[in-house]
Structures are given as structure tokens and as C-alpha cells.
Amino acid sequence: MSMKCPFCRAEIPDDSWFCDQCGKELHFCPDCHKPARGTECPACGADLVSAEEYFKAKPAAEKALFLVGDGLRLPLREGVFGRDGGIYPELAAMQYVSRKHGELRRLSGKWQIRDFGSTNGTFVDGHRLPKDEWHDIAAGSSVKIATSKFTVEQ
């Protein structure tokens, strides 16, 4: 998932502490859950807090999750992944990952993953996913994309 930087309006990951494009430090409204400029929220008037403070205060279910393994730390994002790029261009160099391997989404506060029928499969906690069936993942889940092994971590 993404959000717009309140300074330069660039699309950036929704777990950013700084804008990837303009480099500005982000501040969030603890009530509206959106980044904003200045010291108070333009929508509700609440005092803005630093990204560090905001993300520490979020309930565990809302904290950013990452796929960690094979020397990578990839934030969970919604979209298609595979050797052709998509949300994880880092997978392009992995020869056993299919061109269009699978997809991640967030639905009703839960992360889900599916496989598009890839040759080498997607596995969650050791079980190969059937083609086009969504499966929940959460902190502690093991995810294998072809031969690359990851753990979902906060």
C-alpha cells in the first residue's frame, strides 16, 4: 500500500518515515492516520507526531510487516511479484521465481498471498499454495517463493 508525501506529493510506501523522493521527515496524525505538513492535522486539529512515535504507538496488527530472508528485507506491499518486477524488483535476479509468480494483498486488516500457478510454487508454513487461492500470512509465518525462504517479521 502507498500514500502521498505531504510535501512533494510523490507516491511512497505507507510505512515510510521519510519521503523517498524529497527526503523530508514525515509526521502523522495519530487520529486520522495520515501524514501531514506542519504541527497539527489540517483535518482534525490533533498534534502531529513523528513517524517513529506514530509507528511505535500503532497496535501490533497495524505495524508494518516484512519478508525477511535470503539477504533481503522486503516490506509487505499490495501487488504482483515475480521476475518481471512488480512490487519486488529484487526478485528479478532469482532464476527459479516465475516471471509473474504471485500476489500480495491486505484484506480486512489481514495480509494474504496467492500463487499464480508458478512452476516452483509459493509455500506458507511448508504447504504449497494451490493456484489462485488466497492464504493468510502474519508475523511468524514462513513463506517460500520458489527456492527463496522468508519469515514474516515486524
Side-chain angles (χ1 to χ4, degrees):
M1 296 190 352
S2 65
M3 64 181 173
K4 286 194 184 285
C5 170
F7 299 97
C8 70
R9 308 304 297 160
E11 285 287 326
I12 57 175
D14 66 352
D15 58 352
S16 297
W17 290 24
F18 294 86
C19 176
D20 298 343
Q21 302 301 308
C22 68
K24 299 270 188 180
E25 181 180 7
L26 301 176
H27 290 83
F28 290 81
C29 175
D31 298 327
C32 297
H33 305 288
K34 294 185 179 182
R37 298 171 89 159
T39 57
E40 53 181 57
C41 177
C44 72
D47 289 339
L48 299 179
V49 297
S50 70
E52 179 179 14
E53 187 178 338
Y54 174 74
F55 286 112
K56 281 183 181 176
K58 287 177 90 173
E62 292 183 30
K63 289 187 179 177
L65 294 177
F66 298 84
L67 289 173
V68 179
D70 277 3
L72 298 170
R73 182 174 169 86
L74 307 171
L76 290 188
R77 295 188 174 125
E78 288 189 299
V80 174
F81 60 87
R83 266 196 353 260
D84 279 350
I87 57 173
Y88 300 128
E90 298 88 345
L91 298 180
M94 298 178 177
Q95 71 182 93
Y96 296 108
V97 173
S98 294
R99 291 184 187 280
K100 192 172 172 188
H101 197 96
E103 184 177 14
L104 284 164
R105 73 176 179 188
R106 190 164 182 175
L107 183 67
S108 302
K110 293 183 181 182
W111 281 101
Q112 297 182 323
I113 190 169
R114 72 173 168 168
D115 186 89
F116 289 145
S118 63
T119 302
N120 294 298
T122 302
F123 300 77
V124 174
D125 297 327
H127 301 285
R128 186 176 184 142
L129 302 182
K131 180 181 179 183
D132 292 328
E133 286 188 23
W134 290 101
H135 190 82
D136 291 346
I137 56 173
S141 296
S142 66
V143 175
K144 186 174 158 192
I145 299 170
T147 58
S148 298
K149 296 177 184 178
F150 299 94
T151 302
V152 179
E153 297 181 1
Q154 286 188 344

